[in-house]
Amino acid sequence: MKTFTRKKSRTFQPKWSRVVVCLFTMARRAWNALNGVFPVYKPQAVSWTRLRRQLEHRLLQDLNDLSQSTPRLLSAAGQTNLDTVDVNMAAHSNKGPDAYSLQLTHSSVPSFINHSRVNGPLYRHIKIGIGHRLDTMSSGVLVMAVGNGNKLLPEFQKARFTRTYTLHGRLGFATKDFSDSGQVIEKATYEVHCVNETCSALRRIIHEIGLELRAAASCVLVRRTFEQPFGVDDALLPAQWGLTPILNSIHRGQPAITRFFARLLSSPQPMSEDISSYSTGHQN
Amino acid sequence: MVTMAFPCARLVVRGVRCLFGSSKATGGASPLAFGVGHPAKGRRGRFVTTTPPDVEVGVASVGNPSRVRGGEVAEVHKDEVDDEVDEQDYEAEEELGLVKTPPPLPSTATSFRSYVGHSETLQKLVRLGMDLWRVERKIPAANILLRLSFEKDVQPRLVLLQSFGLQLDRLGRVLTRNPYLLNPNLLEENLKARVDFLLSRHFTREMVGRMIGAAPFLLSLSVQRLDNRLAFYQNELGLSPRQTRELTSRLPSLITASLAEVEEIMKTMMANLGFRRAELRALVTKVPRILLGNRGRLIRTFDLLHNIIGIPHHLLVEHPQGEQVFRTKLQRIRVRHAFLKSRGLANFDPAHPPSVSLERFAALPDEAFCQEIVGATVQEFLAFQKTI
């Protein structure tokens, strides 16, 4: 009688156990791949804390769905379950009597220690970092980081990347007949490229433009359209805040970030220290 | 030697009340039917499983204080000769390699993981669909579960719950949310009295079963409190008994919710949002969940719908199912309204067609909303969202 080989015993493992292992590794792989920087599109009237919470929640939910899509069937901890002995006579009967072998299979049994109803969700905490912030009433491209990407965020800050904003202003609340319903006589859009700015400082620009024109002006919307190296097209909308789009986004953005940092290191440009250096271009 | 797999030792805990009988009484079938917990004795977030004085314990770690993690709680008494002899025998056998010592059960733990492999009761509860990891957060409840014997405590209670009309597929969820239903201190007579009370108020058996399934804490309320709560909705909203029944059977968690919060929502809707009592009644009859929501969110949603989009009160109340919008996400309403407005379609008044149905506006998924209401593609909708 032939003794069993390690290789042969592996080939006799039931197929379903491979599927289970596959799903585990998928969740694990996804978790390991969650390292990097990705842009999201922040809607107006949502604070960045709330946005971050939503992102964290959705990522954890997707990871747990991936890991719990089948019951966890693992051999119980501390028990080597070798009591199942399969004699696979039928499989070898066509190879003659010499091929008969006693197969020892390590069978996987449902373990209550690893049961999802005992353990709860596998993934409970994930740390998401945030780049240059946007206040609640602004919208636009917001850089988020997860995993190792969090270490990149200070580098982003040090690099002083220019950001591009579109400011929507309502200019000149001139009333025709002194009635209290003011009629808007001009709507204007300004594009601002700047560093080290805050949203309220940008609103102030609109106010100052109004003063220059001897009129009143107010800012309706501050929208960030570009933060290097991400544009509006790359940013993920709330409907896309899930594991797969985020992983894809991290993957897509990787070369651009590497390239950008490499260029920055090779030719360091003097960057201005304060907010006063912005250039405005008027597009009506 | 004892009948159990582990040799016996005796752990005594001072000041712990034995709420439930000994493992001898349960036949010792489950090695975990012995513990008596005292959450106050353990550290926060961990429950203690030790034994009442008259209970024998299957813990092999007597001579090894490091394994008894609640060392300051558990105190070892080995003053009884029988046990000592047993132990000596066992040690001798162990030295000869006749028996293999299994890893001892910890006397305290932070998770059911430590015990579930050794307890048939816990395993059966898991098979019933109970999420033990959720019960862990409720330390007193966790300690109650550890002391249960499936045959003696759990099984009769399950039969009882089933006789109340509770569907079997809801059982796991109900027990997860309210593990105290398995507490042997909760008397069957009381549970029966509560169900009988509901039946006397002309709730049908099916209704009661569904209500327990949807509001697991229903049976934890005394008859007096149940009566008070039904009367509250009847009086505050001016409902008939039949309407009260319909309302509470549709959303049973109204009965178990905090009445103070519900009252605050009602007051907000009448005083701040300007709904009349009859309007409130109509609204609540259609969307009872509105009473259980967050007050701030309710105000923000109303502000958006009424002051910004411009939907009048009567439309919110009378338009068939139009008030579904109260249940959708604020951001969804905001974005969809902006998209409609950009296309010149933001008219919700059925008196001036063409108008958009509020229900469809709020309930349809993105694809259907774009196709059927706006006549645009999803890509256009996504692109639009990046311009606001």
Side-chain angles (χ1 to χ4, degrees):
Chain A
M1 185 175 278
K2 278 191 174 179
T3 52
F4 76 95
T5 61
R6 191 181 168 84
K7 201 176 180 184
K8 267 192 181 173
S9 71
R10 271 196 181 172
T11 56
F12 278 94
Q13 271 190 354
K15 265 187 174 175
W16 50 263
S17 71
R18 285 189 190 166
V19 175
V20 173
V21 168
C22 237
L23 279 162
F24 279 132
T25 48
M26 265 169 73
R28 173 54 68 181
R29 265 189 215 163
W31 173 261
N32 289 342
L34 271 174
N35 283 313
V37 178
F38 60 96
V40 297
Y41 193 90
K42 186 184 100 66
Q44 206 184 359
V46 175
S47 68
W48 62 265
T49 44
R50 194 186 173 85
L51 181 147
R52 184 164 71 177
R53 241 192 342 262
Q54 274 184 24
L55 267 175
E56 285 171 353
H57 181 73
R58 297 231 192 135
L59 275 180
L60 289 175
Q61 209 172 25
D62 284 0
L63 282 167
N64 286 323
D65 286 352
L66 201 59
S67 67
Q68 289 185 357
S69 43
T70 52
R72 281 180 224 167
L73 292 156
L74 289 178
S75 53
Q79 298 171 16
T80 318
N81 199 348
L82 278 171
D83 50 6
T84 318
V85 180
D86 289 345
V87 185
N88 284 289
M89 305 284 270
H92 294 272
S93 58
N94 54 352
K95 293 176 186 171
D98 283 352
Y100 288 175
S101 64
L102 187 70
Q103 298 285 336
L104 281 175
T105 53
H106 184 117
S107 72
S108 300
V109 292
S111 157
F112 282 96
I113 291 172
N114 288 315
H115 199 288
S116 60
R117 288 197 186 279
V118 179
N119 257 359
L122 261 184
Y123 299 95
R124 299 191 189 203
H125 302 287
I126 191 166
K127 204 172 172 185
I128 287 188
I130 184 163
H132 193 273
R133 281 154 206 188
L134 285 169
D135 67 11
T136 307
M137 290 316 284
S138 326
S139 64
V141 182
L142 193 57
V143 173
M144 310 298 283
V146 64
N148 285 348
N150 281 307
K151 291 179 184 168
L152 216 60
L153 285 180
E155 301 304 319
F156 266 81
Q157 206 179 1
K158 276 183 222 159
R160 297 227 170 84
F161 294 150
T162 41
R163 289 174 280 268
T164 309
Y165 291 82
T166 307
L167 308 179
H168 296 249
R170 280 203 294 184
L171 196 59
F173 280 78
T175 49
K176 276 183 178 172
D177 52 3
F178 301 106
S179 71
D180 51 6
S181 61
Q183 190 193 350
V184 181
I185 61 168
E186 192 191 345
K187 276 192 179 179
T189 309
Y190 287 85
E191 198 175 282
V192 184
H193 298 258
C194 47
V195 290
N196 274 354
E197 74 294 341
T198 61
C199 291
S200 56
L202 291 168
R203 293 198 181 94
R204 201 189 175 111
I205 297 173
I206 296 289
H207 172 70
E208 281 166 7
I209 290 169
L211 289 183
E212 284 294 314
L213 295 171
R214 303 283 189 274
S218 63
C219 187
V220 179
L221 176 64
V222 176
R223 191 165 73 89
R224 188 191 284 164
T225 53
F226 190 73
E227 171 161 14
Q228 279 188 345
F230 302 114
V232 172
D233 294 338
D234 309 317
L236 301 175
L237 283 166
Q240 301 165 318
W241 293 350
L243 186 60
T244 320
I246 286 177
L247 281 175
N248 287 340
S249 177
I250 290 173
H251 187 67
R252 263 201 316 274
Q254 208 90 52
I257 291 170
T258 320
R259 211 163 44 236
F260 198 83
F261 274 108
R263 204 169 62 212
L264 199 82
L265 288 172
S266 61
S267 62
Q269 291 171 352
M271 292 275 185
S272 62
E273 285 292 321
D274 60 343
I275 185 179
S276 59
S277 74
Y278 52 77
S279 63
T280 57
H282 184 192
Q283 330 162 316
N284 200 2
Chain B
M1 289 299 294
V2 284
T3 52
M4 270 196 274
F6 305 134
C8 276
R10 187 165 287 187
L11 299 185
V12 181
V13 179
R14 282 203 207 101
V16 171
R17 192 161 55 104
C18 179
L19 296 176
F20 175 58
S22 68
S23 65
K24 278 176 185 166
T26 65
S30 145
L32 279 171
F34 50 71
V36 164
H38 197 290
K41 293 271 181 181
R43 261 171 41 204
R44 192 163 169 262
R46 76 178 14 221
F47 47 82
V48 185
T49 54
T50 40
T51 48
D54 59 338
V55 177
E56 288 188 333
V57 186
V59 176
S61 65
V62 179
N64 182 5
S66 65
R67 298 302 301 234
V68 186
R69 278 189 271 164
E72 73 284 357
V73 181
E75 187 187 319
V76 181
H77 285 233
K78 287 197 290 182
D79 50 350
E80 299 219 357
V81 185
D82 289 348
D83 281 354
E84 232 170 89
V85 170
D86 269 353
E87 204 165 284
Q88 279 167 4
D89 281 354
Y90 185 79
E91 277 168 7
E93 282 180 10
E94 197 181 1
E95 275 171 21
L96 289 169
L98 294 176
V99 283
K100 201 178 164 188
T101 316
L105 288 177
S107 61
T108 68
T110 53
S111 162
F112 276 115
R113 275 177 65 104
S114 313
Y115 304 114
V116 76
H118 304 270
S119 162
E120 272 181 44
T121 308
L122 291 179
Q123 288 174 6
K124 281 177 180 167
L125 289 176
V126 169
R127 286 209 197 109
L128 277 171
M130 209 168 164
D131 281 339
L132 292 188
W133 67 277
R134 281 187 199 273
V135 183
E136 271 163 31
R137 298 172 186 174
K138 302 170 180 171
I139 294 169
N143 279 308
I144 289 169
L145 285 198
L146 282 180
R147 279 179 279 117
L148 294 178
S149 144
F150 193 83
E151 285 74 25
K152 191 168 169 288
D153 310 309
V154 183
Q155 219 158 331
R157 200 45 69 85
L158 298 182
V159 172
L160 187 71
L161 287 174
Q162 204 185 352
S163 76
F164 292 157
L166 177 64
Q167 294 294 313
L168 278 180
D169 55 335
R170 306 291 282 175
L171 206 56
R173 187 184 171 276
V174 168
L175 293 180
T176 303
R177 304 295 146 118
N178 188 3
Y180 299 101
L181 282 177
L182 294 177
N183 190 349
N185 279 14
L186 189 61
L187 296 176
E188 279 195 14
E189 295 85 71
N190 288 345
L191 291 176
K192 279 181 185 156
R194 288 160 198 178
V195 171
D196 287 343
F197 167 75
L198 290 174
L199 293 174
S200 77
R201 292 297 156 105
H202 303 291
F203 287 93
T204 61
R205 190 175 162 275
E206 287 73 33
M207 270 182 180
V208 173
R210 238 180 310 119
M211 285 163 76
I212 300 170
F217 275 90
L218 190 73
L219 289 185
S220 296
L221 298 176
S222 66
V223 171
Q224 182 65 51
R225 292 182 80 189
L226 283 173
D227 193 20
N228 286 346
R229 275 148 191 264
L230 291 176
F232 169 80
Y233 289 106
Q234 194 166 341
N235 297 334
E236 290 292 316
L237 295 166
L239 300 172
S240 68
R242 185 199 173 86
Q243 284 169 325
T244 315
R245 238 180 354 255
E246 278 169 10
L247 178 73
T248 48
S249 64
R250 219 177 125 194
L251 187 64
S253 33
L254 282 177
I255 302 179
T256 50
S258 148
L259 290 192
E261 282 173 23
V262 170
E263 198 175 10
E264 206 183 333
I265 294 268
M266 284 179 180
K267 277 181 183 165
T268 306
M269 291 194 67
M270 292 205 274
N272 303 15
L273 309 186
F275 285 99
R276 277 183 245 116
R277 196 175 147 99
E279 285 175 336
L280 176 68
R281 187 166 55 226
L283 201 58
V284 167
T285 319
K286 282 176 186 166
V287 195
R289 198 164 281 278
I290 207 170
L291 290 179
L292 298 182
N294 176 293
R295 184 171 169 270
R297 186 176 174 276
L298 176 69
I299 292 174
R300 282 197 296 278
T301 313
F302 179 81
D303 182 49
L304 180 68
L305 289 171
H306 185 71
N307 299 331
I308 297 174
I309 302 183
I311 302 168
H313 284 89
H314 73 90
L315 215 59
L316 283 176
V317 177
E318 286 162 20
H319 195 265
Q321 294 297 309
E323 58 294 314
Q324 289 290 338
V325 285
F326 275 114
R327 292 178 52 184
T328 46
K329 282 181 183 168
L330 208 59
Q331 194 56 30
R332 193 181 200 185
I333 302 173
R334 198 178 284 131
V335 170
R336 287 187 175 193
H337 173 248
F339 193 42
L340 281 178
K341 207 174 160 190
S342 73
R343 303 258 167 159
L345 295 169
N347 173 29
F348 296 95
D349 191 356
H352 301 92
S355 69
V356 176
S357 142
L358 265 182
E359 186 206 2
R360 280 156 59 80
F361 167 76
L364 285 180
D366 273 358
E367 292 80 15
F369 168 76
C370 292
Q371 262 184 9
E372 294 167 25
I373 297 185
V374 194
T377 61
V378 182
Q379 278 69 34
E380 284 175 319
F381 185 44
L382 292 178
F384 172 78
Q385 286 182 44
K386 288 188 178 178
T387 64
I388 53 168

